[in-house]
Amino acid sequence: MAGHSKWANIQHRKGRQDAKRGKIFTRLIKEITVAAKMGGGDASANPRLRLAIDKAKAESMPKDNIENAIKRGTGQLEGVTYEEGRYEGYGIGGAAVMVDCLTDNKTRTVADVRHAFSKYGGNMGTDGCVAFQFKHCGQLMFAPGTDEDALMEAALEAGAEDVVSDEDGSIEVITGPWEFTAVKEALEAAGFTAEFGEVSMKPLNETVLTGDEAARMQKLLDALESLDDVQEVYTSAVLEE
């Protein structure tokens, strides 16, 4: 992996997410609605809904927006019915790509995703072609210089699955997807605040891309993320500056 900087890559990704803030509310409202529809409107008994609400609060979404999205999901308010869809494929250099969508028209969505793959040098594959290369989990990233021993003790006590020290000095805490919020809150209570945290599909192996390949891969990822029906894009690609 040529000693690539995990920390720089996470910061780069975070910056790109911050730049997309205009679409974040729309995506969060969709996720809250679907989570409430599938598991009920009680966040204490619905881990997916609790996670979606926590994300919405972190983005300063007004309480009314959150409550209305829950009501649409539980049928108390009328609204669009969304279906989940996951599309998989390969990007530049054979890097794995997984695209999670919420849509009211799967025919439109699959056409849009396929077009983005083909236009920007990727290749859409069949269901399951890359999913096995990812693990559904929570990730909390702590800055280089964090006290590793103290963080590890606090994280494992809080119920984390693993603590990984990266070459650049950053430390990653891995949690189960539905334990993410509890572990994050326990670590904050112990004095550790993550610089970046999310529930994601973590690649089990990474494909490092540099130069022109990295630039082309970024274009593919940007094209996929810009689609209205796309919620999340996951990739095994690590883009070196």
Side-chain angles (χ1 to χ4, degrees):
M1 233 178 288
H4 73 271
S5 174
K6 180 74 69 75
W7 180 247
N9 209 255
I10 286 283
Q11 293 298 97
H12 172 73
R13 208 165 92 224
K14 184 175 185 294
R16 297 193 74 83
Q17 287 185 347
D18 288 345
K20 298 184 305 185
R21 267 179 143 60
K23 291 190 74 174
I24 286 176
F25 271 24
T26 305
R27 291 179 176 180
L28 286 169
I29 284 169
K30 278 188 182 180
E31 173 61 19
I32 291 168
T33 302
V34 170
K37 181 183 178 184
M38 294 180 68
D42 179 2
S44 64
N46 183 344
R48 179 173 173 177
L49 179 60
R50 183 184 174 193
L51 190 62
I53 291 171
D54 286 344
K55 273 190 187 178
K57 286 179 176 176
E59 297 294 342
S60 303
M61 182 183 285
K63 189 178 177 184
D64 285 353
N65 294 37
I66 295 171
E67 289 177 352
N68 287 339
I70 293 170
K71 286 175 181 175
R72 278 193 292 273
T74 56
Q76 293 168 269
L77 287 177
E78 285 189 21
V80 178
T81 300
Y82 297 109
E83 287 183 273
E84 294 182 288
R86 170 170 286 171
Y87 306 101
E88 303 174 39
Y90 301 92
I92 311 306
V97 181
M98 206 153 57
V99 186
D100 280 353
C101 302
L102 289 176
T103 178
D104 59 351
N105 185 331
K106 277 196 169 183
T107 304
R108 176 193 67 222
T109 304
V110 71
D112 287 348
V113 172
R114 182 177 282 114
H115 177 71
F117 267 110
S118 59
K119 183 176 180 180
Y120 292 96
N123 179 32
M124 189 162 150
T126 55
D127 287 353
C129 68
V130 301
F132 66 93
Q133 298 183 42
F134 294 85
K135 176 184 178 177
H136 189 206
C137 63
Q139 292 174 272
L140 292 159
M141 181 68 75
F142 295 85
T146 302
D147 184 333
E148 185 179 352
D149 290 339
L151 175 61
M152 180 177 289
E153 184 179 340
L156 295 178
E157 191 173 308
E161 290 184 357
D162 200 5
V163 179
V164 181
S165 181
D166 293 313
E167 290 177 17
D168 54 19
S170 60
I171 304 169
E172 222 176 328
V173 174
I174 309 297
T175 76
W178 311 125
E179 288 73 43
F180 171 80
T181 302
V183 173
K184 178 172 176 281
E185 289 173 353
L187 289 176
E188 286 172 355
F192 296 100
T193 301
E195 294 290 326
F196 182 80
E198 64 179 357
V199 173
S200 181
M201 298 297 290
K202 178 180 168 65
L204 300 177
N205 295 291
E206 295 175 337
T207 305
V208 178
L209 301 175
T210 59
D212 179 58
E213 284 195 331
R216 286 164 58 211
M217 186 69 185
Q218 189 66 69
K219 283 183 179 176
L220 169 60
L221 297 175
D222 286 346
L224 289 166
E225 287 176 348
S226 71
L227 297 175
D228 287 342
D229 298 328
V230 170
Q231 290 289 102
E232 298 287 352
V233 178
Y234 306 107
T235 181
S236 63
V238 173
L239 309 181
E240 295 279 288
E241 295 292 328

